[in-house]
Amino acid sequence: KQEVTQIPAALSVPEGENLVLNCSFTDSAIYNLQWFRQDPGKGLTSLLLIQSSQREQTSGRLNASLDKSSGRSTLYIAASQPGDSATYLCAVPYGQNFVFGPGTRLSVLP
Amino acid sequence: NAGVTQTPKFRVLKTGQSMTLLCAQDMNHEYMYWYRQDPGMGLRLIHYSVGEGTTAKGEVPDGYNVSRLKKQNFLLGLESAAPSQTSVYFCASSYSGYGYTFGSGTRLTVV
């Protein structure tokens, strides 16, 4: 069974810091991994989708890496801003579905 | 904007009442999903569909039924609502499992 964990569960940083969010999965036979953002009371917004053939994917200040052999992905946020405050979830495919991590709740303080 | 639309956005039900949640997508996605999200439990898959006319059970299917009569619509039904079904429900769709697009959610309270 695929299990996904995320560390840390919560993170509070001052504005401007660079930060790393971690995602681990137990079954490395995945063909992609997706990072989402969820604002309080809102749905999930897709941030980055990394195919298994890729090692990195970038979008603006966000960079996600994927290491299938170690069962890990990291989401790097550069020069964090208060608007980045949200919960970040990673998800990996399992069968015909996705398994989601519990999320990292990020607070960026002005 | 193209995407996944859920209706209604909010609903309060009395125990034992029934209701249907509607999910509509206009991206021609084959796969559609219903999740519930509860504090401390994360996202849990209720039912899913891999194409028109097909449905399958997810992790927490009890108390729910679904139908996919048209490719663009996926309905989630509660036949006899219970307080344990108080949750936020999310619909999602994907193209053969590649990437997900989520709806904005339905907040359901059963009293």
Side-chain angles (χ1 to χ4, degrees):
Chain A
K1 179 183 176 183
Q2 177 73 274
E3 295 184 354
V4 181
T5 56
Q6 291 187 244
I7 295 174
L11 183 62
S12 183
V13 300
E15 182 177 5
E17 276 202 6
N18 302 323
L19 53 98
V20 175
L21 309 181
N22 297 289
C23 171
S24 297
F25 45 93
T26 55
D27 186 345
S28 62
I30 62 171
Y31 52 85
N32 64 50
L33 181 145
Q34 193 163 3
W35 282 93
F36 293 87
R37 166 185 174 139
Q38 185 175 28
D39 295 286
K42 305 291 186 181
L44 281 71
T45 301
S46 178
L47 296 174
L48 291 165
L49 173 64
I50 313 174
Q51 302 294 349
S52 60
S53 58
Q54 302 173 308
R55 292 188 64 84
E56 288 188 1
Q57 189 71 258
T58 298
S59 176
R61 295 181 294 106
L62 304 180
N63 176 276
S65 65
L66 176 61
D67 184 345
K68 284 181 55 178
S69 61
S70 66
R72 293 180 183 176
S73 176
T74 60
L75 179 66
Y76 176 82
I77 302 177
S80 58
Q81 303 171 356
D84 294 330
S85 298
T87 297
Y88 292 80
L89 299 95
C90 63
V92 297
Y94 184 69
Q96 294 171 320
N97 310 304
F98 269 64
V99 176
F100 288 81
T104 294
R105 187 183 308 151
L106 173 64
S107 296
V108 181
L109 307 175
Chain B
N1 292 335
V4 176
T5 303
Q6 291 184 232
T7 54
K9 296 189 182 306
F10 302 94
R11 186 72 186 268
V12 178
L13 283 180
K14 293 182 179 179
T15 297
Q17 287 186 321
S18 63
M19 76 163 295
T20 300
L21 305 179
L22 172 63
C23 177
Q25 53 95 3
D26 58 4
M27 297 169 286
N28 203 35
H29 283 172
E30 288 292 335
Y31 290 26
M32 295 187 76
Y33 314 82
W34 276 107
Y35 286 89
R36 60 178 289 174
Q37 188 175 38
D38 303 287
M41 303 293 289
L43 279 158
R44 294 182 291 171
L45 182 66
I46 305 171
H47 286 280
Y48 65 98
S49 168
V50 299
E52 180 178 321
T54 74
T55 62
K57 295 180 180 180
E59 181 183 357
V60 289
D62 293 342
Y64 305 95
N65 57 76
V66 289
S67 63
R68 184 104 181 263
L69 299 179
K70 295 183 178 180
K71 186 177 183 178
Q72 64 268 31
N73 296 335
F74 195 30
L75 279 64
L76 177 71
L78 286 74
E79 291 187 347
S80 180
S84 61
Q85 295 178 303
T86 293
S87 186
V88 181
Y89 292 85
F90 288 102
C91 175
S93 70
S94 74
Y95 178 71
S96 297
Y98 280 87
Y100 265 31
T101 301
F102 274 81
S104 58
T106 296
R107 189 172 297 272
L108 175 66
T109 302
V110 182
V111 297

